[in-house]
Amino acid sequence: GKKHLLKNIQRRRSSPQSNQTCTSSSCSQSQGSPTEVGGEIEKLRKERRALMEEMVELQQQSRGTARHVDSVNQSLKAAEQRQKQLLSFLAKLFQNPGFLERLNNLKGREKGALGLEKATRKFIKHKQQQPQDSPTAGEM
């Protein structure tokens, strides 16, 4: 019943072997038969081979992905370059006042010459007059 003496209590040590602490796997391996140890070694070797094969496969995939990213980047750079060239060309064209006048004149002539407005109106009228008794996709 004297709590202040509890700090003086120590365990007895029975033998030097009981001092060693080991995990369940290391104790079982050290106490197992040679065939069990050999089987465990073979199992670990197979696991190691499988992991190495998987690592090689992943490295190959990584290299393939890197090549694909490089090709996509090159395509992107080429597209950006074409876009810049096109914008530069259009900017030069629209800075020329004579070009804008010719463009407007051409637009006016083409509409009148081709009769685009009339053709559009006819197409719209024709579409509205189509018979409604033709089967639709839902009725088929």
Side-chain angles (χ1 to χ4, degrees):
K2 298 179 182 178
K3 292 184 179 182
H4 67 280
L5 295 177
L6 287 175
K7 63 182 176 186
N8 296 333
I9 297 176
Q10 293 182 349
R11 289 186 180 215
R12 289 185 196 159
R13 299 184 186 231
S14 63
S15 69
Q17 285 182 347
S18 65
N19 267 348
Q20 297 174 352
T21 58
C22 62
T23 63
S24 60
S25 62
S26 64
C27 286
S28 66
Q29 285 178 357
S30 64
Q31 295 172 357
S33 68
T35 56
E36 289 175 352
V37 173
E40 184 71 21
I41 290 173
E42 189 59 34
K43 178 182 160 191
L44 290 171
R45 284 183 181 153
K46 286 180 183 178
E47 284 182 27
R48 182 176 177 262
R49 271 188 241 119
L51 289 172
M52 292 295 283
E53 288 172 3
E54 185 178 356
M55 186 178 71
V56 167
E57 183 180 331
L58 290 172
Q59 285 174 339
Q60 290 172 348
Q61 287 178 357
S62 175
R63 285 191 292 269
T65 303
R67 284 191 299 269
H68 181 68
V69 166
D70 286 342
S71 69
V72 168
N73 279 337
Q74 288 175 353
S75 299
L76 180 63
K77 285 179 183 178
E80 287 174 345
Q81 184 64 31
R82 284 192 302 268
Q83 187 179 26
K84 285 179 184 178
Q85 289 173 345
L86 182 62
L87 286 174
S88 172
F89 174 73
L90 289 174
K92 287 179 184 177
L93 278 181
F94 285 112
Q95 286 176 354
N96 184 351
F99 172 76
L100 291 176
E101 284 180 30
R102 285 188 299 226
L103 185 64
N104 283 332
N105 290 338
L106 263 175
K107 259 186 166 178
R109 275 192 237 143
E110 283 181 6
K111 276 190 178 178
L114 297 176
L116 289 178
E117 294 170 0
K118 291 180 183 178
T120 306
R121 279 191 230 127
K122 284 181 184 177
F123 178 72
I124 292 172
K125 283 182 184 178
H126 178 68
K127 225 175 175 172
Q128 291 172 351
Q129 292 174 357
Q130 283 182 343
Q132 297 297 329
D133 53 306
S134 64
T136 60
E139 296 174 350
M140 290 184 170

